[in-house]
Amino acid sequence: MDGASSSSSCSWYTAPATLGCTYDVFLSFRGEDTRNNFVGHLYEALNQAGIYTFKDDENLQRGKPISPELLKAIEESMVSVVVFSKNYANSCWCLDELVKIIECQDSMGQRVLPVFYDVEPRDVRGQKRSFQTAFLEHEVNFVDDVEKVNRWRDALKTAANLSGWDVSRTANGREIECIKQIVRTVSSYTEPRLEENLIGMESRIRHLKLLLDKGGDDVCFIGIWGMGGIGKTTIARALYRQISYEFEGSSFLKDVRENGSDTRGLKSLQEKLLSEILMQEHFKVKDCDDGMCQIQRRLGRKKVLVVLDDVDNIEQLQFLAGARDWFGHANSPPETYKKLSGDVVSHTGLLPLAIKILGSHFRSKSLNFWKSELKVLTKTPHNDVNKVLKVSYDGLSSLQQKIFLHIACLFKGKEVHLVTRILDAIGLEAVSGITVLVGKSLLSISNGFLKMHDLIQEMGQCIVLECYPNTMVWLPEKIEEVMTTVNILEAVEVMLLGEHNNSPIVCCSAELWKSMKKLRLLEVKGSFTSSEPTYFPNKLRWLSWNQYPFDSLRITRDMTKIVGLQMMRGSLRNLQMEQQVIFPNLKYINLQGSNVTMFPSVSGAPNLEWLNLSQCTFAEVHESVFCHGKIIYLNLSYCYHIRILPSKINMKSLQTLLLNNCDRLKTFPDVSTGMEKLSVLAIDSCGSIHALPSSVKLLTGLTTLTMQGCFQLGNCHGKLAKRLSQGSFHLASLRVLDLSQNLLYDIFPSNLHTAWPSLEELVLDGNKFTRLPATISRLSHLKYLDLSYCVFLKDLPVLPSLTQVLKANGCTSLKNIEDLSNRYKWLFKISVSGCPILDDIESQSHIANMLMQPFVQKCADVNHRLSIMVPGSTIPNWFNKRDWITRSNWKVISSPADAATCADCIWTGYMSMDIVGKLCHGFESEHLFISFESFNSVIECGACVVYEKDIKKMRGIGSWISDYDELGRIEHHSATSEELQHGRWSRPSYSFKYRKSSDRDHNLVTVFV
């Protein structure tokens, strides 16, 4: 721009988006190059989008200084758009403008967006070609004011290095598309702030934007429903302000209920809608019918945004937004279905839940089905919610209905796998049934638990109480009545007892149980009765009695239909299964935490699959368990009294064997052939086991083997040590191996890559070896290696190329470390704190490289967590201290647990925004809440930003090791081309410095990206 004057053009809106600024945008340009072409079109587009823009329309006379009004306009603008053209640098006033703009960027945080029109960015940056010619003239004219010329040069270089647009290379040189991109970006920076600081507002707006995105190019109708005063209008207005610029026209009609209560008011609203979208004052329609026609005819080819606030009558919708084909290029459903849909909705009383249920019920059904079901609805008053919802229930098969009723009465909020097991046990096909219920929106699954809306649960319980009043008993107030009425007992099929009763019912006896001839499912908790049961009905399929209060329980020949038996954490000491009786249906036994002194023979349960005996007090297990051919899962963890197991294990179906913390167990049984299905073997903290049999090599399907803290196995006299040194411990399928805290010395085989060719995770912390074989680098699948507290380890070997996590904390003898920042492109966690002699010049240089910005950007590219903990105390220079936050702003995200022990170390952490969102429920993108639970105080902390455009794109690999157990595996994600082009930040980086309360300072730096 040539200059400024008091006569300037601004968009016709009254105020910019953010309080405290006079203008949204200041346009800097060279008038003779761009005023009547590119800048003129850009100004109109900004004006159309409602962006309050300062654009000077006058030329300053040569020699006249830049006006104070122009400088003030720059200061009072949120964003400056600088359009560089061939003659831009010829103008001293343009250059003075630019200097002021850069000053405002540095001092006030003003956004600066460069646009390169008919010039190369490198020419602007380096003052070449026309810019070089201009500065040669400036150096002559300002020979006495060299500082001024240098300021101009610096401002040009700074502005040209910012993210912006090269018009000739944007959208294949189409200027109109480039202008659209500029407007979108400017709009995102000038989005209005909400008048109230309402918690959760941004997340709701973000959810609405996702719903709009799902509509694609189709016409999208969204309803915001809820009781008065919850913020529906505030949310809609905020969303409207943020996205209206994306549409060819927009209108926000407020108070529709008040202003559209009659035909005159509706006609006025139609006129206002048309006036605002078409930007024609006083648009008139003849009547409401004409208004409907005008809306459809005038807006049918436009991309428009219409918000109808406070609608309380469907007639208002019919006159203002009657159908999808009124707007854009909608693909309307067949007219017949449209009418039927309206009829269905009217019978729901516009209750959103009922609409959702019936929508799922009618989805993908034939026209005949719609008509038939609508006849049922017409006989149902729309204000009777249960009856409306029951339409979907009536569409279920008999088996699906039973599953639904069981869940509504008994299993809401329970784990899916447990409920599935129980329902299957009583003869219901749970997997297919639950799938159907989820598809019909009668049920949902969240984090492995069954969820059901209260209204739907109430409907199910009402159906049971009205139609099957005595088949299910679960309500506390009904239990005593049922237990004292014989004719009711005969009808009971399912009973839930004890959870809500404070005192036992003393009348419960064997004779009473005999009266319950149809009982299939019995769940009891605690002291429901005062007398020990001696009989259970012969149709009983599932018996669960947690906190069983009696000493003994006998499984008799009358219980041959039993499928599942659960007796957790009670007083049971003597469990008996009647001898010479076969229980062919028994599949599940769970005695976790019981006081059983001797587990009986399971030879009478030939189809037993799942056996949990963890935390039991018996000293030995019947040998029939270890030769059972059908058991898939066996858990004997924390059985502290077990000293011996059968000499041989022959379980051909076994997949999981858990023996953790059986610290008195001295031997592991020989393995028979045919146990290829065993996948997981855990013997952690079995400190008395001194040998693993050579037959372990027969476990060819083993993928996970954990032996943490098996001291006798690992010491130099243990057979594990010998087999390792001899290289005879071959397991080709093994993926996870934990040998930590086993006191292992230098006994690793040289052929690691052939012994464990599939290994992905190797945990060796707390051992005594001084070195690892060089062949560890040939473990081509290894991703995770933990060598922490191996206090005699002197050198780190060359790692496998796919390594992602390396831990070597507390390796006090470690002397050197290689440069990990270049060789291993997938490495995202490095932790080598507490290594006091790692101080040679070469190692220090390698450590410094790990903290350099390019390494952080490389980790950011694969969209995964980064954590680097290395010796040191100096925060990297590339952190911008201007953005550092103060101690009063620290709130919630936790530091790593191993950082608690770091001394004189730097911790650099990275976390992508989508991972933060998973870890922090309700996380808002503009706020990062941080806490450091492992530290008593923090010295200082700061922030810097990594932009998508700065990240070199790399190809991902299939899966990732995650340090966050709740996240599981996290897959590679690429930035969108739009994010890259506009340099939108999506990963903020934070740096923190810590001091622990001790005699020595403990420094730590954290980066959150």
Side-chain angles (χ1 to χ4, degrees):
M1 136 178 212
D2 292 343
S5 73
S6 59
S7 175
S8 59
S9 296
C10 300
S11 60
W12 51 269
Y13 291 88
T14 58
T18 302
L19 298 177
C21 290
T22 303
Y23 306 100
D24 289 326
V25 174
F26 180 93
L27 271 178
S28 176
F29 60 99
R30 179 65 161 152
E32 68 183 56
D33 290 342
T34 59
R35 174 180 285 114
N36 296 322
N37 44 58
F38 183 86
V39 168
H41 301 318
L42 175 60
Y43 175 76
E44 290 302 323
L46 292 167
N47 185 30
Q48 178 73 20
I51 297 170
Y52 195 48
T53 305
F54 184 98
K55 169 180 166 286
D56 185 77
D57 280 336
E58 299 289 334
N59 289 335
L60 280 178
Q61 296 178 4
R62 183 170 294 275
K64 185 176 180 180
I66 190 169
S67 69
E69 291 85 1
L70 188 59
L71 296 176
K72 184 178 180 183
I74 295 173
E75 292 176 350
E76 295 181 355
S77 297
M78 291 182 63
V79 178
S80 284
V81 176
V82 183
V83 181
F84 291 115
S85 56
K86 287 184 177 180
N87 293 306
Y88 185 93
N90 292 345
S91 169
C92 298
W93 305 291
C94 283
L95 294 173
D96 283 338
E97 271 182 10
L98 185 61
V99 169
K100 182 64 177 178
I101 287 169
I102 298 302
E103 287 177 1
C104 289
Q105 175 189 253
D106 293 339
S107 62
M108 302 164 56
Q110 184 182 100
R111 299 274 188 178
V112 180
L113 301 175
V115 179
F116 303 93
Y117 182 80
D118 202 24
V119 292
E120 292 289 337
R122 63 175 177 269
D123 293 345
V124 180
R125 193 179 304 117
Q127 286 102 60
K128 298 178 182 179
R129 299 182 187 273
S130 62
F131 285 74
Q132 182 181 26
T133 303
F135 270 86
L136 290 173
E137 183 178 349
H138 292 324
E139 287 173 352
V140 173
N141 294 335
F142 296 91
V143 66
D144 296 326
D145 195 356
V146 177
E147 236 1 86
K148 184 183 189 73
V149 177
N150 289 337
R151 285 197 299 272
W152 289 345
R153 287 186 181 276
D154 291 341
L156 278 171
K157 184 176 180 180
T158 299
N161 276 317
L162 297 173
S163 176
W165 294 266
D166 183 349
V167 177
S168 65
R169 291 183 173 86
T170 301
N172 295 321
R174 290 177 292 170
E175 291 186 12
I176 189 63
E177 293 300 320
C178 182
I179 287 173
K180 288 181 179 179
Q181 291 183 15
I182 296 171
V183 172
R184 281 197 296 269
T185 302
V186 170
S187 296
S188 70
Y189 291 150
T190 58
E191 285 178 356
R193 299 289 185 253
L194 300 176
E195 291 79 11
E196 303 89 5
N197 186 19
L198 298 178
I199 296 175
M201 178 67 71
E202 289 186 13
S203 62
R204 285 162 174 79
I205 293 175
R206 189 162 57 245
H207 179 65
L208 285 174
K209 288 181 178 179
L210 288 175
L211 293 176
L212 288 170
D213 288 341
K214 289 178 181 178
D217 293 330
D218 202 359
V219 175
C220 182
F221 278 66
I222 295 177
I224 305 177
W225 178 88
M227 61 183 291
I230 64 172
K232 301 185 298 297
T233 298
T234 306
I235 293 171
R237 189 183 297 278
L239 176 68
Y240 178 85
R241 288 172 175 169
Q242 291 187 20
I243 69 172
S244 58
Y245 71 89
E246 300 179 7
F247 297 81
E248 296 174 52
S250 60
S251 176
F252 189 105
L253 297 182
K254 63 179 182 179
D255 300 326
V256 171
R257 175 172 54 179
E258 178 181 346
N259 298 325
S261 58
D262 54 23
T263 54
R264 178 179 297 179
L266 286 170
K267 175 177 172 289
S268 177
L269 288 173
Q270 290 174 333
E271 292 171 342
K272 182 179 180 183
L273 185 150
L274 288 164
S275 296
E276 290 184 353
I277 292 178
L278 300 176
M279 294 188 181
Q280 298 180 19
E281 293 186 14
H282 311 302
F283 195 104
K284 296 297 182 181
V285 299
K286 297 176 182 178
D287 51 37
C288 286
D289 289 337
D290 180 54
M292 294 168 64
C293 294
Q294 292 285 358
I295 292 172
Q296 184 173 6
R297 185 169 69 85
R298 295 297 189 101
L299 307 183
R301 297 287 176 179
K302 285 183 175 291
K303 181 182 179 183
V304 299
L305 173 65
V306 178
V307 177
L308 306 179
D309 174 53
D310 198 18
V311 175
D312 71 335
N313 191 309
I314 196 169
E315 185 180 54
Q316 296 159 354
L317 283 176
Q318 291 171 346
F319 281 106
L320 296 171
R324 294 164 62 85
D325 60 358
W326 284 22
F327 307 98
H329 304 278
N331 297 317
S332 298
E335 197 64 33
T336 305
Y337 279 100
K338 286 171 57 179
K339 184 181 184 306
L340 290 174
S341 297
D343 294 337
V344 171
V345 170
S346 66
H347 283 285
T348 66
L350 298 182
L351 178 68
L353 177 63
I355 294 173
K356 180 180 179 182
I357 297 296
L358 289 179
S360 299
H361 179 65
F362 281 95
R363 185 176 55 210
S364 302
K365 297 298 192 299
S366 67
L367 188 62
N368 289 334
F369 179 88
W370 278 67
K371 291 179 179 179
S372 175
E373 289 295 285
L374 191 57
K375 291 179 182 178
V376 177
L377 280 176
T378 56
K379 301 174 183 177
T380 305
H382 71 259
N383 58 347
D384 190 339
V385 176
N386 276 354
K387 291 182 179 179
V388 172
L389 299 180
K390 190 174 179 293
V391 172
S392 194
Y393 167 83
D394 292 336
L396 300 172
S397 68
S398 175
L399 188 64
Q400 293 161 357
Q401 288 180 349
K402 289 180 181 179
I403 294 172
F404 169 76
L405 296 178
H406 278 79
I407 294 174
C409 297
L410 307 172
F411 299 130
K412 175 184 174 182
K414 300 291 182 68
E415 290 181 275
V416 177
H417 73 87
L418 177 61
V419 175
T420 300
R421 189 176 295 161
I422 295 173
L423 293 178
D424 284 343
I426 62 177
L428 304 178
E429 296 294 333
V431 174
S432 62
I434 289 175
T435 302
V436 170
L437 296 179
V438 171
K440 287 183 171 288
S441 301
L442 292 170
L443 188 66
S444 63
I445 298 175
S446 176
N447 296 322
F449 290 84
L450 294 174
K451 304 294 183 182
M452 182 179 286
H453 194 284
D454 290 343
L455 289 177
I456 298 175
Q457 182 187 31
E458 182 182 339
M459 174 197 65
Q461 293 181 349
C462 287
I463 291 173
V464 172
L465 294 174
E466 293 174 7
C467 304
Y468 315 102
N470 299 319
T471 58
M472 292 190 194
V473 179
W474 76 94
L475 297 173
E477 60 271 20
K478 291 282 293 182
I479 291 175
E480 188 151 4
E481 175 191 349
V482 170
M483 299 296 282
T484 55
T485 309
V486 175
N487 62 336
I488 295 180
L489 284 173
E490 293 178 351
V492 175
E493 297 181 15
V494 176
M495 181 172 279
L496 179 63
L497 305 173
E499 286 200 359
H500 306 288
N501 287 17
N502 295 322
S503 58
I505 298 177
V506 297
C507 62
C508 184
S509 66
E511 294 301 318
L512 179 141
W513 295 109
K514 287 181 180 179
S515 300
M516 303 172 70
K517 298 178 181 179
K518 296 182 178 180
L519 186 66
R520 295 176 297 123
L521 169 59
L522 175 62
E523 283 208 13
V524 186
K525 182 179 180 181
S527 301
F528 173 73
T529 68
S530 59
S531 59
E532 182 178 308
T534 58
Y535 172 87
F536 288 102
N538 58 14
K539 288 190 176 182
L540 188 65
R541 300 290 190 90
W542 191 275
L543 172 59
S544 175
W545 197 325
N546 294 333
Q547 300 175 24
Y548 184 73
F550 307 113
D551 186 73
S552 63
L553 177 70
R554 183 174 173 80
I555 309 299
T556 68
R557 65 180 64 247
D558 296 316
M559 300 175 64
T560 56
K561 293 184 179 179
I562 192 77
V563 177
L565 176 66
Q566 179 169 300
M567 314 288 287
M568 296 171 58
R569 297 184 179 87
S571 301
L572 181 65
R573 296 177 59 82
N574 183 19
L575 176 65
Q576 301 177 32
M577 298 180 67
E578 188 168 340
Q579 297 299 309
Q580 298 180 341
V581 177
I582 301 298
F583 299 92
N585 300 298
L586 185 58
K587 292 185 177 182
Y588 309 102
I589 297 179
N590 186 354
L591 301 182
Q592 180 181 345
S594 71
N595 293 313
V596 174
T597 56
M598 175 64 185
F599 186 73
S601 170
V602 293
S603 57
N607 295 309
L608 187 65
E609 296 178 356
W610 198 89
L611 181 58
N612 186 352
L613 303 176
S614 61
Q615 303 175 36
C616 289
T617 58
F618 45 72
E620 59 181 292
V621 181
H622 197 278
E623 62 183 2
S624 62
V625 173
F626 282 82
C627 62
H628 199 286
K630 293 290 185 70
I631 293 179
I632 296 173
Y633 174 92
L634 176 58
N635 189 348
L636 293 168
S637 298
Y638 297 93
C639 290
Y640 298 115
H641 298 282
I642 289 182
R643 295 177 180 271
I644 190 171
L645 295 176
S647 60
K648 197 156 193 169
I649 179 171
N650 183 15
M651 305 176 71
K652 297 186 184 301
S653 299
L654 190 65
Q655 297 176 14
T656 300
L657 176 58
L658 306 180
L659 292 167
N660 299 328
N661 292 86
C662 295
D663 53 8
R664 297 186 184 182
L665 183 64
K666 293 186 177 182
T667 60
F668 187 87
D670 277 322
V671 177
S672 298
T673 57
M675 287 191 59
E676 298 85 359
K677 292 183 179 180
L678 186 63
S679 175
V680 177
L681 173 59
I683 55 173
D684 297 335
S685 300
C686 292
S688 298
I689 293 181
H690 62 274
L692 283 181
S694 60
S695 56
V696 167
K697 65 185 178 183
L698 298 176
L699 301 176
T700 56
L702 198 64
T703 61
T704 300
L705 175 59
T706 63
M707 298 188 290
Q708 175 185 352
C710 297
F711 307 112
Q712 297 297 326
L713 272 176
N715 66 35
C716 59
H717 302 292
K719 288 188 177 181
L720 174 62
K722 293 179 181 179
R723 291 202 169 92
L724 285 174
S725 63
Q726 296 167 1
S728 59
F729 193 53
H730 287 236
L731 293 168
S733 299
L734 197 64
R735 295 172 58 191
V736 178
L737 177 59
D738 187 344
L739 297 173
S740 59
Q741 302 176 35
N742 281 331
L743 307 181
L744 292 171
Y745 288 82
D746 292 330
I747 41 73
F748 282 96
S750 59
N751 61 337
L752 285 178
H753 58 294
T754 58
W756 310 318
S758 303
L759 200 63
E760 296 182 5
E761 302 182 36
L762 180 58
V763 183
L764 298 172
D765 64 274
N767 285 298
K768 294 189 175 183
F769 46 77
T770 61
R771 60 178 178 79
L772 285 172
T775 53
I776 195 172
S777 65
R778 299 173 67 181
L779 289 172
S780 58
H781 297 280
L782 192 69
K783 298 172 182 156
Y784 184 103
L785 178 62
D786 191 349
L787 302 170
S788 297
Y789 305 104
C790 294
V791 295
F792 298 106
L793 182 66
K794 296 180 180 180
D795 300 292
L796 285 179
V798 175
L799 304 177
S801 60
L802 294 184
T803 302
Q804 297 175 21
V805 176
L806 171 64
K807 295 183 179 181
N809 300 314
C811 295
T812 54
S813 300
L814 189 63
K815 293 182 178 180
N816 55 68
I817 186 172
E818 64 173 315
D819 188 351
L820 300 172
S821 63
N822 290 322
R823 185 191 296 265
Y824 309 104
K825 65 179 180 180
W826 305 115
L827 192 61
F828 72 86
K829 181 175 179 69
I830 305 168
S831 188
V832 289
S833 65
C835 302
I837 64 174
L838 197 63
D839 56 3
D840 64 285
I841 296 176
E842 186 177 20
S843 293
Q844 289 296 310
S845 174
H846 295 163
I847 288 170
N849 289 341
M850 297 179 210
L851 301 176
M852 296 299 287
Q853 189 173 15
F855 185 49
V856 177
Q857 292 173 344
K858 183 176 72 174
C859 292
D861 176 63
V862 293
N863 200 27
H864 203 281
R865 182 181 178 232
L866 167 67
S867 179
I868 305 173
M869 192 184 306
V870 292
S873 59
T874 303
I875 294 175
N877 293 331
W878 59 277
F879 280 87
N880 188 343
K881 287 199 172 186
R882 185 189 66 200
D883 297 328
W884 284 35
I885 56 177
T886 62
R887 189 170 302 178
S888 61
N889 291 331
W890 302 341
K891 302 225 174 168
V892 185
I893 281 185
S894 54
S895 60
D898 50 5
T901 60
C902 81
D904 294 326
C905 68
I906 298 173
W907 172 40
T908 301
Y910 152 80
M911 196 180 295
S912 66
M913 297 303 291
D914 47 356
I915 296 178
V916 173
K918 293 176 183 178
L919 289 176
C920 306
H921 179 69
F923 173 78
E924 302 292 349
S925 60
E926 294 183 0
H927 307 283
L928 187 62
F929 303 96
I930 302 160
S931 72
F932 303 96
E933 300 173 1
S934 303
F935 300 89
N936 295 326
S937 64
V938 178
I939 297 174
E940 55 185 343
C941 61
C944 73
V945 174
V946 174
Y947 291 87
E948 292 279 9
K949 70 180 179 64
D950 297 324
I951 298 171
K952 181 180 178 182
K953 300 310 298 172
M954 301 164 60
R955 290 189 178 272
I957 56 177
S959 62
W960 295 93
I961 304 294
S962 175
D963 273 338
Y964 291 111
D965 293 338
E966 62 269 41
L967 288 183
R969 296 188 183 273
I970 302 170
E971 303 300 329
H972 174 80
H973 167 74
S974 298
T976 64
S977 59
E978 185 176 4
E979 287 173 330
L980 289 171
Q981 188 167 358
H982 294 305
R984 293 180 182 171
W985 73 274
S986 63
R987 299 175 173 126
S989 313
Y990 289 88
S991 170
F992 307 93
K993 206 176 180 182
Y994 300 80
R995 178 180 292 124
K996 292 178 67 176
S997 56
S998 64
D999 296 335
R1000 300 179 64 190
D1001 287 349
H1002 296 69
N1003 299 327
L1004 180 138
V1005 177
T1006 305
V1007 184
F1008 284 106
V1009 184

